Amino acid sequence: MDAILALRLLSDLHREFDRPLNVAYLDIKAAFDSVDRLGIQKALRSRGVPNVLLYLIVALHHGTGVQVRQGQNLSERLPTTSGVRQGCVLAPALFCVAIDWILRHMKDNTTATSCMLTTRPSSSTLHLMLF
């Protein structure tokens, strides 16, 4: 079934029965690279993660960088300041915690009819529509 049709049918059903509907659209191309590290810290802290574990996760991401390989040539190291580490077993969990934190804060704002967050232009975008 087409995603837009499914959303339309779901919206109609909720409207007919006077029920709220929360819909999130997340464009996740390069999402793991664009997660704000400070946001991850806030999300973990709000979940009650012990400081010692929080400091370890912060240290894991401190001083990270990337290099680009073209053939046999390797670029200079470029520092990274956002995103989770590629290939890290914690990356999916950290990403989910950050997104869950965003959704919870947006859902608490029941007066909004729609909202859009972006981490930077042409990057991951999160839309939340409340019907």
Side-chain angles (χ1 to χ4, degrees):
M1 182 184 286
D2 182 61
I4 295 173
L5 174 62
L7 179 59
R8 174 69 184 187
L9 293 173
L10 192 59
S11 170
D12 289 346
L13 275 172
H14 278 74
R15 197 170 291 131
E16 181 180 336
F17 291 101
D18 196 29
R19 302 286 303 173
L21 173 64
N22 300 320
V23 178
Y25 167 75
L26 179 62
D27 179 6
I28 59 170
K29 61 181 174 195
F32 279 69
D33 296 336
S34 62
V35 175
D36 181 54
R37 291 180 181 168
L38 186 57
I40 292 173
Q41 291 176 40
K42 289 179 182 179
L44 291 170
R45 189 170 282 119
S46 75
R47 287 273 183 113
V49 171
N51 283 338
V52 66
L53 186 55
L54 186 61
Y55 295 145
L56 287 172
I57 293 170
V58 169
L60 177 70
H61 291 92
H62 181 72
T64 58
V66 297
Q67 289 182 295
V68 178
R69 179 182 303 275
Q70 183 180 14
Q72 296 296 322
N73 299 324
L74 195 59
S75 73
E76 291 184 31
R77 185 179 176 281
L78 303 169
T80 58
T81 57
S82 65
V84 291
R85 296 176 68 115
Q86 290 185 8
C88 178
V89 296
L90 288 177
L94 294 174
F95 178 77
C96 288
V97 166
I99 295 302
D100 183 58
W101 184 81
I102 291 169
L103 290 174
R104 286 179 191 271
H105 279 79
M106 292 176 73
K107 187 177 177 185
D108 289 343
N109 184 7
T110 56
T111 59
T113 56
S114 68
C115 187
M116 184 174 79
L117 293 178
T118 60
T119 53
R120 57 182 183 244
S122 302
S123 181
S124 300
T125 305
L126 176 71
H127 299 273
L128 180 70
M129 298 171 283
L130 302 174
F131 294 94

